[in-house]
Amino acid sequence: MCADRPEFTVRRVYDPPGPDDGTRVLVDRLWPRGVSKERAAVDEWPKSVTPSNELRRWYHADRSRRADFADRYAAELAAPEAREALAHLAELARRGPVTLVTAVTDVAQSHVPILQAALTDFGPSGD
């Protein structure tokens, strides 16, 4: 892991926590169905870095809107509250492993890769 570019792994919340997970961060707006807080073993849940309810519903209504979703979500991640949370998560990753935890079944087509890219690109100066 580069000190200037933090790295994040992704794990589904339904899978058992791994010994190398480090800080586990739930990156979904809604708590996952059927998962207790103990089983999820989530350390943080920064809702400001998750897609808004409106954006989430809009995208779920038509998955062919992926490119527009990515642009809109990136705009949400540029908001001050989200930037502050991104900076915090990037700092955590500079100190040790951070695992982004999600309930989505198709991670590649979800918000997670967009968030992961925003976090990875979050440089030491927050740019």
Side-chain angles (χ1 to χ4, degrees):
M1 173 170 44
C2 174
D4 289 343
R5 297 289 178 205
E7 294 181 16
F8 297 84
T9 57
V10 178
R11 183 183 294 272
R12 292 200 66 229
V13 70
Y14 301 106
D15 297 333
D20 299 327
D21 283 356
T23 303
R24 290 173 53 91
V25 180
L26 181 63
V27 295
D28 294 339
R29 175 70 56 161
L30 305 175
W31 188 264
R33 289 183 184 161
V35 178
S36 69
K37 291 185 179 184
E38 294 78 25
R39 184 172 156 221
V42 168
D43 299 303
E44 298 200 18
W45 186 14
K47 291 183 183 178
S48 62
V49 300
T50 66
S52 66
N53 283 325
E54 297 79 13
L55 181 59
R56 186 178 53 79
R57 288 183 190 121
W58 177 83
Y59 180 50
H60 288 185
D62 183 355
R63 296 293 177 128
S64 69
R65 303 172 176 168
R66 175 82 179 145
D68 288 337
F69 169 76
D71 291 342
R72 292 179 184 199
Y73 182 37
E76 288 185 356
L77 291 174
E81 185 179 0
R83 299 286 297 165
E84 185 176 316
L86 289 170
H88 170 69
L89 295 175
E91 182 56 33
L92 285 176
R94 286 185 193 96
R95 294 184 201 153
V98 174
T99 300
L100 307 178
V101 181
T102 183
V104 300
T105 55
D106 187 356
V107 173
Q109 292 301 311
S110 74
H111 67 288
V112 176
I114 301 160
L115 174 60
Q116 195 171 17
L119 287 165
T120 302
D121 291 342
F122 208 87
S125 62
D127 55 347

